[in-house]
Amino acid sequence: MNNQLQDYDPSGVAQINGNLLALPFNYESANLIVFGVPWEVTVSYGAGTAKGPQRILDASTQLDLFDFDHPDGWKQGIFMEKIPLDILEKNEYYRGLAAKIIERLEQGKPLTDSPDLTQLLTEINQACLQVNQWLFEQCKEAIDNGKRVAVIGGDHSSPLGYYQALATRYSNYGILHIDAHADLRDAYEGFEFSHASIMFNAMKLPQITKLVQVGLRDISHDEVQMINQSNGRIVAYYDPAIKQKLYSGTTWIDLCREIVSHLPEYVYISFDIDGLDPKYCASTGTPVPGGLELEQAYMLFRELINSDRQIIGFDLCEVGDAEWDGNVGARIVYKLANLMDLSQQRSYGK
């Protein structure tokens, strides 16, 4: 532990210092580095998730630090890098351009109609690629420095660069994906890096050997076909099927153990907040009735750890621009940070 902690009281009033949870760590002293990615250029329904990282940061200072799973988890050292304002500004610009493309498609007209929008689409895809590359470089540097990493989106396209960075470190890892949507669309609305295409793009990485999706309830025919034809690489737990089993007497813990059994040793958690019941996240980009309770998600993550699998990273995405959503989001980020620390402590026999 560093000198910054000598006078730090985890039960005291948070001294606002710009860091997540107002913790007294910096990049050097922290073990977990958190990157906010204020990006939602391709959102096709509700906007506001680009402000999610700031909402979470603001709300986090009101949280108490005692965690029932890992009471001293905060001592691992958590530091959130400054949210890049240049990316936020680019987001506003390219979001406006993307809206023109979405409007044209919703009118049932080709992009080549006058005025021709094909060049705009190329520009947007290039801008998204640049954000992915920026995040890849940031995450890879942190990983090379021995740090753990977490990402707060933005929309769900945000963490792709982090998946790519982990693929340089792990030759075989799985993704546990909490979401109302499968996100398996190929370049949805023409956007190569659409929020609805994040898992389609993840599946292009051979290092990701398994994708286990939980809570899906708003899905296209093509996505179901892709799941069914994946030869078991993608396993889907649809929300209606989960509910039917629970209402018929199956216990959630048994379902959790079954879900976890599909995953390899190293597991990344990708958490779209709309995987939860919308009472937790009414301002998310694409809310859908149904979904998990927050404690159901936590139990699933606990069973992941109890199975001796290791959590190697996580993201939280699609948190809306509302105080309540930021409050819930901050709690999820802190819980995931502590569970990841716990899983890695167990893995290394500490």
Side-chain angles (χ1 to χ4, degrees), residues 162-228:
Y162 183 20
Y163 300 173
Q164 293 165 338
L166 284 172
T168 67
R169 181 70 176 268
Y170 296 93
S171 60
N172 172 3
Y173 74 94
I175 295 180
L176 176 57
H177 175 207
I178 309 298
D179 207 322
H181 311 90
D183 294 342
L184 289 168
R185 295 173 183 264
D186 182 2
Y188 184 57
E189 296 176 325
F191 302 121
E192 185 180 353
F193 302 105
S194 168
H195 65 102
S197 302
I198 178 65
M199 292 306 163
F200 183 89
N201 290 327
M203 291 293 90
K204 295 177 183 177
L205 295 170
Q207 294 89 342
I208 299 175
T209 54
K210 205 81 170 188
L211 171 62
V212 179
Q213 304 182 289
V214 181
L216 308 184
R217 55 195 187 277
D218 196 12
I219 192 166
S220 72
H221 287 82
D222 285 349
E223 289 174 305
V224 172
Q225 186 177 31
M226 182 173 176
I227 292 166
N228 291 343

Side-chain angles (χ1 to χ4, degrees), residues 242-290:
I242 289 173
K243 296 300 199 311
Q244 191 74 13
K245 287 188 176 183
L246 294 178
Y247 300 156
S248 302
T250 302
T251 65
W252 177 238
I253 195 164
D254 283 340
L255 263 180
C256 288
R257 288 167 180 164
E258 180 187 316
I259 291 166
V260 167
S261 72
H262 296 289
L263 289 159
E265 178 184 359
Y266 299 114
V267 180
Y268 177 98
I269 296 174
S270 189
F271 199 141
D272 184 325
I273 203 169
D274 71 28
L276 299 176
D277 185 302
K279 68 189 176 190
Y280 295 105
C281 53
S283 298
T284 190
T286 316
V288 185

Side-chain angles (χ1 to χ4, degrees), residues 94-119:
Y94 286 106
R95 175 80 191 99
L97 299 185
K100 295 179 181 179
I101 290 173
I102 294 170
E103 183 182 9
R104 176 75 63 85
L105 294 173
E106 288 175 343
Q107 293 169 349
K109 298 176 182 177
L111 298 184
T112 49
D113 275 12
S114 183
D116 189 326
L117 300 180
T118 52
Q119 185 55 40

Side-chain angles (χ1 to χ4, degrees), residues 29 60 113 118 132 148 158 169 183 187 191 303 314 323:
S29 60
S60 71
D113 275 12
T118 52
N132 290 338
R148 302 169 196 155
S158 302
R169 181 70 176 268
D183 294 342
F191 302 121
E303 286 309 302
F314 69 87
E323 188 172 347

Side-chain angles (χ1 to χ4, degrees), residues 74-146:
W74 65 272
K75 291 181 180 178
Q76 69 184 281
I78 302 170
F79 177 71
M80 184 170 178
E81 287 277 22
K82 286 188 177 179
I83 298 167
L85 294 180
D86 60 326
I87 289 180
L88 185 59
E89 289 170 5
K90 287 178 183 176
N91 172 76
E92 296 298 319
Y93 173 72
Y94 286 106
R95 175 80 191 99
L97 299 185
K100 295 179 181 179
I101 290 173
I102 294 170
E103 183 182 9
R104 176 75 63 85
L105 294 173
E106 288 175 343
Q107 293 169 349
K109 298 176 182 177
L111 298 184
T112 49
D113 275 12
S114 183
D116 189 326
L117 300 180
T118 52
Q119 185 55 40
L120 283 189
L121 181 59
T122 301
E123 272 187 56
I124 292 165
N125 284 335
Q126 186 61 33
C128 293
L129 180 64
Q130 288 171 354
V131 172
N132 290 338
Q133 185 61 28
W134 168 82
L135 184 62
F136 170 80
E137 291 167 0
Q138 298 296 314
C139 292
K140 189 172 186 307
E141 181 181 3
I143 291 168
D144 289 346
N145 287 331

